[in-house]
Amino acid sequence: MDEKKKILAINFGGIGDEIFFLPTLISLKKQYPNSEITLALEPRSKGAKDLTDVIDELILIDVKGKNKYSEMFKLLQAAWAGHYDLVLSSGGNKLISILLFLTGIKVRCGYDTGKMSRILLTHAMPLNKKQYACKMYHDLIRNITDYNTELPEINVQPKEKIANSVLIHPGVSKLSVQKGCIKTITPEVWAKVIDLLVAEGKKVRLVGGPDDKECIETIMQNVRTQNFENLYGTTKNLRDLAELISSADKFLCSDSAPLHVAVALHTKTYVIFGPTDVNALIPQNDNVVPIMANDNCELKPCLWARRQTTCEKLSCLKISASQIASTVCNS
């Protein structure tokens, strides 16, 4: 189609959420090749734009700050001034349909959250959280495009693979830790994993961002071997990290944004999973291998679905270094 459209997409969350949202934006771009896509997102996630060329403009909305209501009004003002043809939002809150209606934009795509949403939205789509998040977001545009982009795609030129290498990104976002959401093993266990992988002859490389400073320091204090590369501090942005991931033979990480970058790059990836939902966070293919504790917890996955913080026991994260190393080396 040659029809030119101005599209406003609204997706609040972390970097991982923005990467999940990329297939939806890519399909819209395929449907309307001459479209201009503006993405409203949180300031902490603005780095997602460095990974793609389907986003033309960003609107930064600090919905978690002290002035969230004035920030939402700022979003409305931008929507009124932008003269958009289509708006979509990934939010599952019942008030989202009111927000989209107030934008005055003709075509409004959101989730069906009840009678009001079916009145105020032109496309009120079923919300199915029991599927891969990329598919869940893509459902928003099922009525307006036949394209189906299943996985994130990012514009990073892959680097040459380093044979027999394992790149390790052990950290999670500082925000999740501050909220009491523990989603990975301890730095001490990560240190043992490095020792075991090096003993198996792997070329281990360790990387992390600013949020991972304390984790990396603790790993370095506990690791016994020196036969690995500590690349902490060498990546300045998300694109740098993506290029590094592309060069890895295998990538080992926590349930965090780098996981979704690796999925987009089709790098063989191993992920530490504890309280979160594997089915919602990784595609069901052989390229991504979850590593989980055999804890038989009846509540798992509990984080977000049943509670907003992790429990004190954390039995779901009692995963041994030997289990992790063995999985990486043998699968």
Side-chain angles (χ1 to χ4, degrees):
M1 290 187 179
D2 294 329
E3 186 178 359
K4 183 175 181 178
K5 287 190 179 293
K6 292 193 69 178
I7 298 171
L8 174 60
I10 304 170
N11 185 41
F12 299 132
I15 287 285
D17 295 291
E18 303 310 328
I19 296 174
F20 282 141
F21 203 50
L22 282 179
T24 302
L25 302 182
I26 291 167
S27 287
L28 285 173
K29 196 70 172 181
K30 290 176 180 177
Q31 184 73 22
Y32 306 110
N34 296 318
S35 64
E36 294 178 6
I37 297 178
T38 298
L39 176 63
L41 76 173
E42 295 180 44
R44 62 184 172 125
S45 303
K46 63 183 180 181
K49 189 176 186 298
D50 296 333
L51 299 177
T52 179
D53 59 5
V54 299
I55 302 170
D56 297 287
E57 299 290 341
L58 295 181
I59 301 174
L60 304 183
I61 305 295
D62 189 6
V63 294
K64 292 185 173 64
K66 295 180 180 179
N67 303 312
K68 62 180 180 180
Y69 295 111
S70 62
E71 288 287 296
M72 295 307 289
F73 184 67
K74 183 175 80 173
L75 174 58
L76 281 175
Q77 287 180 311
W80 296 331
H83 304 290
Y84 296 100
D85 302 293
L86 185 157
V87 62
L88 67 153
S89 172
S90 64
N93 190 296
K94 290 186 176 183
L95 297 178
I96 290 296
S97 59
I98 298 176
L99 175 70
L100 298 191
F101 181 76
L102 290 175
T103 66
I105 298 170
K106 184 177 180 180
V107 180
R108 302 177 296 278
C109 302
Y111 290 119
D112 184 345
T113 56
K115 185 176 180 179
M116 183 181 296
S117 66
R118 293 190 288 273
I119 294 172
L120 299 180
L121 300 176
T122 58
H123 299 280
M125 306 305 295
L127 173 57
N128 178 9
K129 294 183 178 181
K130 295 182 178 181
Q131 60 177 331
Y132 183 38
C134 287
K135 293 183 178 181
M136 179 184 73
Y137 289 152
H138 206 284
D139 284 345
L140 287 165
I141 60 171
R142 207 161 9 103
N143 283 354
I144 60 177
T145 179
D146 293 327
Y147 290 101
N148 184 22
T149 308
E150 295 186 354
L151 294 176
E153 299 171 10
I154 60 178
N155 294 335
V156 172
Q157 187 64 39
K159 300 296 184 181
E160 184 178 352
K161 291 287 185 185
I162 300 173
N164 201 37
S165 64
V166 179
L167 179 67
I168 297 178
H169 190 293
V172 296
S173 73
K174 186 173 289 186
L175 181 61
S176 66
V177 175
Q178 290 172 345
K179 286 183 175 181
C181 303
I182 309 303
K183 299 190 294 180
T184 191
I185 55 177
T186 65
E188 290 79 8
V189 176
W190 278 114
K192 292 179 182 178
V193 170
I194 292 173
D195 287 330
L196 290 171
L197 289 174
V198 170
E200 289 291 330
K202 297 295 182 183
K203 298 176 182 177
V204 175
R205 311 172 89 198
L206 179 66
V207 68
D211 284 0
D212 309 314
K213 184 175 185 294
E214 293 181 8
C215 176
I216 297 290
E217 288 177 347
T218 305
I219 289 173
M220 295 304 295
Q221 291 167 4
N222 285 272
V223 73
R224 295 181 178 180
T225 183
Q226 296 182 346
N227 297 324
F228 72 100
E229 289 185 82
N230 180 11
L231 300 177
Y232 176 75
T234 62
T235 54
K236 305 302 180 184
N237 50 49
L238 201 56
R239 176 172 285 274
D240 287 349
L241 176 61
E243 291 179 352
L244 199 57
I245 292 173
S246 73
S247 71
D249 185 31
K250 294 181 176 181
F251 181 53
L252 173 61
C253 63
S254 305
D255 169 18
S256 59
L259 155 65
H260 312 303
V261 174
V263 169
L265 292 167
H266 305 287
T267 297
K268 183 74 175 185
T269 301
Y270 300 81
V271 195
I272 305 300
F273 267 106
T276 49
D277 188 353
V278 173
N279 294 324
L281 295 171
I282 62 173
Q284 303 304 302
N285 62 44
D286 294 336
N287 214 37
V288 187
V289 180
I291 302 177
M292 306 169 67
N294 185 22
D295 57 323
N296 297 317
C297 177
E298 294 180 356
L299 292 179
K300 192 171 72 174
C302 65
L303 191 56
W304 314 131
R306 294 183 173 90
R307 53 167 61 107
Q308 298 304 304
T309 58
T310 43
C311 68
E312 294 181 0
K313 290 183 178 180
L314 287 178
S315 56
C316 61
L317 285 170
K318 289 182 168 55
I319 309 171
S320 70
S322 59
Q323 178 188 345
I324 297 167
S326 175
T327 303
V328 173
C329 292
N330 299 320
S331 66

